Amino acid sequence: DARVTQTPRHKVTEMGQEVTMRCQPILGHNTVFWYRQTMMQGLELLAYFRNRAPLDDSGMPKDRFSAEMPDATLATLKIQPSEPRDSAVYFCASGWADRNYGYTFGSGTRLTVV
Amino acid sequence: AQSVTQLDSQVPVFEEAPVELRCNYSSSVSVYLFWYVQYPNQGLQLLLKYLSGSTLVKGINGFEAEFNKSQTSFHLRKPSVHISDTAEYFCAVSDNKAAGNKLTFGGGTRVLVKP
């Protein structure tokens, strides 16, 4: 089965450090999402891309977060500087938006900022 | 704007008993509806989806859901649960516009199946 690959699976970092999370979407999918999951807020949409172009990043704190798709096989989410409140599980998902068959999620990156 | 409400945050249920997870949504446009399951320390897996047509949708692992437009609901059911169904379940809605299609999730319902 095709899958969305996220790296790293776990990351522990100190406050103030830069964190980069990577996602390899399923080959051929034209839409990529970044979600954040916390106990308090549940699943929050941070940003999403269509054909590598950013469509909506209104859910992302702009001063410290950035999301990019340098090519069709890689999406990145960066946090600089990281803060303890950024501790969460970050999920990437990909799919075909126009067909709305549902999206395939990666296993997530569990980020802990100490 | 669209939103999803899952009315129960936790549902304990005995093995082989039926379970129903409630989901209500609000949207100003036609929607697509989804149920996802998340097992511990894993990502979300699609259980089933409603796009159009029959309001009763069957998914994987014996789950089914019924779309009720007048009540804006999409409740998930399984007639007989197994221990392996212990997980968190998320209802999600996507707008029916080609330019959008982002998923908005409910808060999740944690199902604990007891022997």
Side-chain angles (χ1 to χ4, degrees):
Chain A
D1 284 345
R3 57 177 62 186
V4 175
T5 303
Q6 289 187 248
T7 56
R9 287 296 309 275
H10 302 273
K11 176 73 176 178
V12 180
T13 191
E14 292 185 347
M15 183 172 60
Q17 296 297 306
E18 177 179 302
V19 175
T20 299
M21 292 169 270
R22 294 177 174 81
C23 167
Q24 181 178 350
I26 291 174
L27 188 65
H29 281 180
N30 68 348
T31 305
V32 174
F33 295 81
W34 283 104
Y35 282 89
R36 176 171 63 183
Q37 185 178 35
T38 61
M39 289 293 291
M40 294 300 295
Q41 301 297 328
L43 281 158
E44 303 173 277
L45 177 65
L46 296 176
Y48 73 109
F49 295 79
R50 176 77 53 80
N51 298 321
R52 295 177 54 203
L55 275 192
D56 185 354
D57 61 1
S58 58
M60 217 162 56
K62 299 292 191 306
D63 56 338
R64 299 185 300 107
F65 284 61
S66 62
E68 296 179 344
M69 278 201 75
D71 62 62
T73 64
L74 177 65
T76 62
L77 181 67
K78 290 186 181 180
I79 309 175
Q80 168 63 20
S82 58
E83 298 180 1
R85 60 180 167 153
D86 301 328
S87 297
V89 181
Y90 291 81
F91 287 105
C92 175
S94 73
W96 277 102
D98 296 342
R99 301 176 193 177
N100 234 333
Y101 292 160
Y103 299 111
T104 302
F105 280 74
S107 298
T109 294
R110 183 176 296 275
L111 174 66
T112 303
V113 183
V114 298
Chain B
Q2 53 204 16
S3 65
V4 180
T5 301
Q6 293 183 241
L7 297 163
D8 306 296
S9 59
Q10 292 190 71
V11 173
V13 57
F14 286 104
E15 194 174 16
E16 298 183 7
V19 70
E20 179 180 80
L21 308 184
R22 297 178 292 169
C23 172
N24 287 89
Y25 69 92
S26 66
S27 176
S28 57
V29 298
S30 298
V31 296
Y32 298 144
L33 294 155
F34 304 83
W35 276 98
Y36 282 83
V37 59
Q38 184 179 30
Y39 300 105
N41 299 313
Q42 295 188 26
L44 280 74
Q45 179 182 356
L46 182 65
L47 270 180
L48 50 77
K49 59 183 180 286
Y50 172 78
L51 303 180
S52 64
S54 173
T55 57
L56 184 62
V57 180
K58 294 189 183 299
I60 62 172
N61 300 342
F63 284 93
E64 63 181 31
E66 186 157 17
F67 170 59
N68 187 319
K69 188 174 182 179
S70 63
Q71 296 187 7
T72 60
S73 68
F74 190 54
H75 301 333
L76 180 71
R77 302 184 185 96
K78 185 169 182 177
S80 176
V81 297
H82 302 290
I83 295 289
S84 58
D85 292 322
T86 293
E88 190 156 18
Y89 293 79
F90 292 92
C91 182
V93 63
S94 171
D95 61 62
N96 193 359
K97 296 186 293 185
N101 303 99
K102 61 184 178 182
L103 286 175
T104 300
F105 286 91
T109 298
R110 197 174 296 274
V111 173
L112 176 60
V113 182
K114 303 176 182 179

